[in-house]
Structure formats: structure tokens, C-alpha cells
Amino acid sequence: ESQLNPNYSFDNFLEGDSNRLARSAGLAVANKPGGTSFNPLLVFGGVGLGKTHLAHAIGVEIKDKYPEKTVLYISAEKFTQQYIESVKKNTRNDFIHFYQLIDVLIIDDVQFFSGKSGTQDVFFHIFNHLHQNGKQVILTSDKAPVDMQDIEQRLLSRFKWGLSAELQSPDFETRISILKNRLYRDGVEMPEEIIECVARNIKSNVRELEGAIISLIAQSSFNKKEVTIELANQIVEKFVKNTKREVSIDYIQKVISDYFQMDVETLQSKTRKRHIVQARQLAMFFAKKYTKASLASIGSQIGKRDHATVLHACKTVDNLAETDKQFRKYIEDLSKKFAQ
Ligand code: ADP
Ligand code: MG
């Protein structure tokens, strides 16, 4: 059981400036596993940029060229679970032994090892054994080794032995070819201007790019809708909105000031006028609810108040929500604007 996904191949991992180094290094490793200086090969980059795809593609290609080699793909999370299981069952040595016999080990998302010292320790031993025996290790991570946190120094230094190659956000041309490739594989035709509309608007994540084109394909083939620029814009907007629109404290203050027909400076001012105080308290309440900011940071951004003021505001809003019908209506209206 290699756990490899044959749909993730080099053929459909389209090349562009954003991935050329990683893709070429991957191919080099696939041609000569354990026989290049790219050992380990560490591929890093943000969400949805193709780390998992490329990791599988390398494994699939090796299996194709060297059927006798044992290739194993596993996520760092699953590896960790297996390890914990083995400790419980007193089979830690079997676990290590199993991994030491593999020719090509591919571990996806090694940032998951952060802070897990037991797992890092076994992986260290497995890695050393494989490396000494000329076996290939391929890793992916959402960060470069220098930026990894809570990973032991001795492991980090091993990660740096080989090559770290970054997957960056694809440029416009690459986004176009990825979209066209997807359409081609699905046997669907789409006007050039639609493809460009999607490629122009979705920039930083290939998974979203694919999601948008899949929605469009579905609309045209199942709903028999004509794919117009308007429809493309709607779908693109949904994808961009769903992922990008993070509620910020600025945004909260803006929405609440608009709602109460005042400006942001008024909302932040030192006045004790009741309706302004309430607007400000609502801003603090929603900032606590919809952002990850600390009370102190919320306070300082909403008119330079301290954390005790924010805490008091949140309690006041909770109380008023129970006792004051009009106030409850404010909260309901505003919640709709933030919760989307
Ligand atoms: P990650 O593991 O970095 O989050 P994935 O490997 O899951 O990203 O990729 C997300 C989606 O984008 C997958 O469906 C993958 O096939 C596709 N993809 C990413 N990069 C490319 C590329 N260069 N060419 C074609 N498809 C790609
Ligand atoms: Mg992945």
C-alpha cells in the first residue's frame, strides 16, 4: 500500500515560473531516487499551491520507473497517529523498523510535527537510517525550514541538508494554462474571456482557481446555463469572498458607524452620549466575537481604550441583549453583516 494517488501526475502539474525549481527538482529526484543531492527534497509553500500534488507526482513517477522500489506517501498527521498508536501497543520498534525498510519516504505537511517531540525523535532516527542507506526522503511543509517553529534544531538541520524548493503563487499565464488543462481534461469548452476573467481574479490559490472553474463547468453542463461574463463574475466573487473576507476591527467599526449614521471618529471619541457609547461597546463586542485580537489590542484600536474597558463593554452588551428589545435588534442586524 503506497497510498499514492495516480491522478496527481507530473503531466498535469503544469509548469510556470512559480513552480519551476520545485517541479524540476522533483523530476530529478524521481529519475534517480536517493541518487541526487536533493535528499531530502523539501517542498514548501502556502495553502493550495500544489505541495500534495507534487509529492504524489514524484512518488507515482518513481513507482513507474522503479516498480521494485517501495514508495510510501503519508501525511505527517497520520504518521504521528501511527506512532502514538505504536507507543500505546508497545510496538515502537516495529514502527521504526517498518519505516526504515522503505526506499522512498514521502511525508506531507511536516509542520504538523511542531511541538511533538516524541514524533520528531522517531522521525529523526528513521531519517538518519534512510539517508545513510541512500534512500530518498521527500517532505512538504507550509513554511521554509528557517521559519518553522517548535521543531528540534537537529531535525531542522537535516531538513537543510538537501534542497528546499518553494512553490509560489502562479502567475497569470500559469493560471490560464491550469484552467485550460482542467477544461480540456473534462472535455468542456469555454470562451477565452471567461477563462481570463477567472484567472485575473483568483490569484493566490490553485485549489480556488480549480473550484471556480469546476463551478462554471457544473453550471454549464448540468444547469445548462449559458456561461456569461456575469455568471463568471458571480462565481469568482463567491470564491474570493468566502476565503478572503476576514472581518477586521476597522471593518467592524466602519459597519457599525454606518449603521448608526455616525463617522468612525465619533464612534471612537471620548463622549459619554448614550447612543455613541453603545455603538462603541457594540464595536468592541463584535471585535471580540469575530476577530482573534486580544482585549488590549481591541481597546487600543477602538479609541485607545484599555482591556478592562473592552471587557466591561462586552458584559454590558450581553446584559442589554437580555433586557432591551431595541438593543437586541441592533445585535441581530449587525450579526448578519459580520457572520455572512
Ligand atoms: P497544497 O498541498 O499545497 O495545499 P494541493 O497539492 O492540494 O495544494 O493542490 C491544490 C489543487 O491545485 C490540487 O487539485 C492540485 O492538483 C492543483 N494544482 C496545484 N498546482 C498545480 C499545477 N501547477 N498544475 C495543475 N494543478 C495544480
Ligand atoms: Mg496539501
Side-chain angles (χ1 to χ4, degrees):
E1 268 296 347
S2 68
Q3 314 287 341
L4 289 168
N5 179 349
N7 295 321
Y8 284 150
S9 64
F10 271 105
D11 276 349
N12 56 38
F13 191 80
L14 300 191
E15 181 172 342
D17 289 345
S18 56
N19 62 36
R20 187 162 291 116
L21 173 67
R23 192 180 185 281
S24 314
L27 265 176
V29 163
N31 285 323
K32 263 177 110 185
T36 68
S37 43
F38 309 151
N39 199 11
L41 173 63
L42 183 121
V43 175
F44 69 95
V47 173
L49 292 181
K51 301 180 296 290
T52 296
H53 185 142
L54 185 56
H56 279 279
I58 298 169
V60 168
E61 185 78 13
I62 294 176
K63 212 51 206 163
D64 199 46
K65 288 212 166 71
Y66 305 92
E68 75 288 356
K69 283 197 192 295
T70 47
V71 179
L72 183 79
Y73 167 92
I74 189 163
S75 69
E77 185 173 2
K78 215 163 158 207
F79 180 90
T80 305
Q81 285 165 3
Q82 284 183 2
Y83 164 68
I84 293 170
E85 225 14 56
S86 81
V87 173
K88 274 193 203 146
K89 288 190 186 145
N90 233 331
T91 54
R92 187 177 182 271
N93 286 341
D94 296 345
F95 173 87
I96 295 177
H97 189 64
F98 170 83
Y99 277 96
Q100 286 180 338
L101 289 174
I102 287 168
D103 295 314
V104 178
L105 177 61
I106 306 170
I107 303 195
D108 202 1
D109 288 321
V110 293
Q111 75 274 2
F112 190 83
F113 289 162
S114 286
K116 302 188 172 67
S117 55
T119 313
Q120 287 181 35
D121 189 55
V122 277
F123 178 65
F124 181 75
H125 291 295
I126 291 166
F127 177 90
N128 285 341
H129 184 92
L130 294 178
H131 199 271
Q132 274 159 20
N133 289 283
K135 307 299 175 65
Q136 180 71 44
V137 178
I138 297 145
L139 308 168
T140 80
S141 164
D142 68 350
K143 289 182 202 68
V146 284
D147 297 321
M148 287 185 196
Q149 288 180 357
D150 299 318
I151 302 265
E152 282 175 46
Q153 207 47 50
R154 57 179 188 165
L155 249 186
L156 283 181
S157 84
R158 295 296 187 279
F159 290 175
K160 294 177 197 156
W161 276 359
L163 177 73
S164 300
E166 182 173 11
L167 288 176
Q168 294 168 330
S169 298
D171 54 35
F172 182 72
E173 295 305 316
T174 313
R175 300 201 294 277
I176 295 273
S177 16
I178 290 173
L179 291 173
K180 287 191 171 164
N181 182 256
R182 160 63 60 169
L183 289 165
Y184 173 77
R185 282 197 284 150
D186 285 17
V188 178
E189 286 189 20
M190 215 164 274
E192 191 73 27
E193 59 166 0
I194 302 283
I195 300 172
E196 285 181 10
C197 169
V198 175
R200 220 179 303 114
N201 290 290
I202 302 185
K203 297 175 183 156
S204 54
N205 185 324
V206 182
R207 190 175 292 136
E208 283 170 18
L209 198 61
E210 287 190 328
I213 203 73
I214 290 167
S215 287
L216 281 168
I217 293 172
Q219 292 287 358
S220 83
S221 40
F222 304 134
N223 277 347
K224 303 278 176 244
K225 273 199 193 167
E226 195 196 339
V227 178
T228 59
I229 272 286
E230 287 73 37
L231 181 64
N233 270 319
Q234 273 175 27
I235 286 181
V236 159
E237 211 174 288
K238 253 191 231 157
F239 272 85
V240 175
K241 230 195 218 150
N242 280 341
T243 51
K244 291 270 160 55
R245 219 197 74 189
E246 199 176 276
V247 183
S248 68
I249 294 179
D250 280 346
Y251 178 75
I252 290 171
Q253 296 187 81
K254 171 104 186 39
V255 168
I256 294 182
S257 325
D258 285 352
Y259 181 79
F260 290 112
Q261 295 174 347
M262 60 179 75
D263 45 42
V264 175
E265 289 84 74
T266 310
L267 179 138
Q268 294 183 342
S269 69
K270 303 279 176 215
T271 173
R272 294 183 183 272
K273 282 193 188 124
R274 190 177 145 85
H275 75 286
I276 298 174
V277 173
Q278 287 192 344
R280 187 163 58 235
Q281 290 177 328
L282 279 164
M284 292 175 174
F285 169 84
F286 281 109
K288 176 160 180 285
K289 187 160 178 196
Y290 287 110
T291 74
K292 293 195 185 81
S294 65
L295 294 176
S297 151
I298 292 171
S300 85
Q301 290 179 69
I302 304 181
K304 299 206 169 58
R305 285 0 189 246
D306 63 12
H307 87 280
T309 309
V310 179
L311 200 58
H312 175 71
C314 295
K315 281 188 189 143
T316 308
V317 171
D318 280 337
N319 288 336
L320 284 173
E322 280 181 17
T323 54
D324 182 334
K325 207 167 151 208
Q326 175 62 51
F327 199 80
R328 194 152 54 234
K329 172 85 167 60
Y330 296 156
I331 297 179
E332 276 166 20
D333 288 351
L334 289 166
S335 293
K336 283 191 199 123
K337 295 179 194 282
F338 300 126
Q340 53 169 327

